[in-house]
Amino acid sequence: MKLERLGVVALACTLAACSETKSSAPRAEQRAGAAPTAASREPLEALPDVPPLDPKIVALGRRLFHERRLSADGSIACANCHDLQRGGVDGQVRSTGVGGKQGAVNAPTVYNAALNFVQFWDGRAATLEEQIGFPVTNPAEMATSFEHVLAFLKADPGYASAFAAAFPNGVTEANARRALADFERTLLTRDSPFDRFLAGDEHALAPEARAGYETFKSVGCVACHQGRNVGGNMFQRFGVLGDYFKDRGNVTEADYGRFNVTHNEADRFVFRVPSLRNVARTAPYFHDGSAATLAQAVQVMARYQLGRKLSDDQVRSIIAFLQSLSGELARAGEKG
Ligand code: HEC
Ligand code: HEC
């Protein structure tokens, strides 16, 4: 919770990150071309391995993820808004659910979501299992209920037998949640150029991406976007050093972010810092989908989170670094 008390904290870590970057010995070593080793203290970490999971449960989860018949009118699957072939998003400013209804925020990716410390822009779900209840019942998404979902799954011979094979107690709400969540736990985008670089392959990053990584650290992006998911491990205000919402205008309830969960005034306009893995694939950006390009998103971040303007060169190199965070997507039809 302390991390939410941003402004000061964010700026303090930002400055700490800057001075550390400029003075510490490992940096000089890296400038000389050595890739970081496990021993050097990088603020970003490699993706972990997919945990051991039951392939039958994962395969069932994959099927459920693509199943349109779970929705009220049989038209919308999870995959409609989280298309695994396009980075786990739908590419829309706001998603369209059952009956053409529009949601209030931009759809984040399901790739690597398992690594986020909480789910949703406002962090209102603690786990993937808990998260699943929201799209199922949201009138602007699948607009249904677990009662209907379970009735469908029990009546469908294919699903009934797949559940029976995966779980001793067959079709239950907890099992459906577990299968979807375990499938999502497999959606880690391995083998990005940046992960190969972290593993010691110094040629994995082109010089521009390498320069961009240094800029990402030295200007202070890394104070918020850090760890193994390059984000996803803290809450921060959107607009630490400028009033983003006043400048954008038309403030909606969804813009209140974490405040909608805690009703604590200090949490107004506070959001979970998103992961930047695969971010080159997931335009448009921000909870409001307001930035159409990465260049725009990076400049907005520099201005409102860091209070600075980046040169075109700096923006270009940061984008090259962000592109190096794109890893392998799940293959269509891949088995459990
Ligand atoms: C109509 C579009 C739509 C459908 C269908 C949908 N989602 Fe989402 N999903 C969203 C949006 C929009 C958000 C962000 C909502 C928020 O943060 O308030 C989201 C958030 C998520 C998140 C959180 C990711 C993060 O980084 O916080 C996960 C995980 C997720 N959805 C999985 C699923 C699963 C599993 C299903 C199917 C049961 C599903 N979604 C169905 C649009 C959709
Ligand atoms: C003080 C914390 C903080 C700092 C510093 C920061 N960010 Fe962010 N970043 C956030 C938050 C919070 C969001 C989510 C904002 C929203 O949409 O509500 C975000 C969103 C983003 C997004 C959009 C991701 C998406 O999926 O929509 C990008 C890209 C991004 N940041 C890049 C950067 C870069 C590059 C820097 C450095 C120039 C930076 N950030 C500095 C907190 C920060």
Side-chain angles (χ1 to χ4, degrees):
M1 291 301 269
K2 282 220 189 70
L3 289 167
E4 296 176 78
R5 237 167 274 286
L6 40 252
V8 188
V9 175
L11 204 52
C13 2
T14 299
L15 297 175
C18 293
S19 57
E20 194 183 304
T21 303
K22 278 184 190 118
S23 60
S24 71
R27 301 254 57 79
E29 210 177 279
Q30 279 169 33
R31 258 187 234 108
T37 61
S40 66
R41 287 192 311 119
E42 287 299 319
L44 304 185
E45 294 152 35
L47 268 189
D49 291 329
V50 173
L53 295 163
D54 181 338
K56 286 201 287 293
I57 296 179
V58 170
L60 176 56
R62 175 180 295 112
R63 231 171 119 187
L64 292 171
F65 191 85
H66 293 93
E67 181 56 79
R68 290 166 197 260
R69 290 176 294 172
L70 296 186
S71 66
D73 63 356
S75 67
I76 305 278
C78 310
N80 278 55
C81 302
H82 302 288
D83 183 343
L84 299 181
Q85 302 317 306
R86 49 176 313 167
V89 298
D90 55 12
Q92 306 298 309
V93 171
R94 287 174 182 54
S95 305
T96 305
V98 162
K101 288 220 183 71
Q102 284 230 315
V105 290
N106 179 255
T109 181
V110 284
Y111 280 109
N112 310 304
L115 304 180
N116 292 331
F117 83 129
V118 289
Q119 301 298 319
F120 291 127
W121 289 101
D122 59 13
R124 68 187 178 282
T127 62
L128 288 173
E129 278 85 350
E130 187 186 340
Q131 189 279 329
I132 284 152
F134 292 85
V136 168
T137 56
N138 187 332
E141 296 187 2
M142 298 164 90
T144 184
S145 66
F146 271 100
E147 207 186 323
H148 281 98
V149 167
L150 296 182
F152 160 70
L153 294 172
K154 283 177 184 158
D156 182 274
Y159 277 114
S161 63
F163 270 84
F167 298 104
N169 54 351
V171 176
T172 69
E173 178 178 334
N175 292 346
R177 286 181 187 255
R178 163 84 185 283
L180 277 162
D182 273 2
F183 168 59
E184 291 175 301
R185 291 186 175 98
T186 68
L187 298 176
L188 305 186
T189 56
R190 315 269 310 149
D191 208 32
S192 70
F194 185 72
D195 282 302
R196 277 184 267 134
F197 168 75
L198 283 182
D201 176 359
E202 53 191 276
H203 303 298
L205 286 194
E208 190 169 41
R210 183 68 199 272
Y213 178 39
E214 294 306 321
T215 308
F216 188 83
K217 291 191 282 187
S218 65
V219 301
C221 309
V222 80
C224 297
H225 298 279
Q226 51 172 262
R228 56 193 186 162
N229 223 8
V230 198
N233 69 356
M234 67 174 86
F235 291 113
Q236 286 286 344
R237 182 182 305 269
F238 190 8
V240 175
L241 289 166
D243 195 337
Y244 170 80
F245 293 98
K246 184 161 169 240
D247 293 352
R248 193 205 63 191
N250 298 318
V251 174
T252 68
E253 197 185 334
D255 293 328
Y256 297 159
R258 188 78 187 140
F259 173 84
N260 293 330
V261 181
T262 65
H263 302 289
N264 178 346
E265 204 44 55
D267 289 336
R268 204 182 284 275
F269 306 124
V270 168
F271 294 85
R272 186 200 61 201
V273 175
S275 165
L276 297 183
R277 287 190 175 275
N278 304 295
V279 72
R281 295 167 164 146
T282 61
Y285 302 106
F286 300 133
H287 74 279
D288 56 10
S290 62
T293 64
L294 260 186
Q296 264 174 277
V298 171
Q299 283 293 16
V300 166
M301 280 285 123
R303 171 162 178 205
Y304 292 98
Q305 305 305 79
L306 295 167
R308 60 193 296 166
K309 175 131 180 52
L310 300 177
S311 70
D312 290 348
D313 271 0
Q314 284 175 311
V315 172
R316 257 197 306 276
S317 71
I318 288 177
I319 291 174
F321 160 63
L322 294 175
Q323 286 165 340
S324 81
L325 295 170
S326 292
E328 280 180 2
L329 300 184
R331 279 180 288 273
E334 190 190 9
K335 292 277 176 294

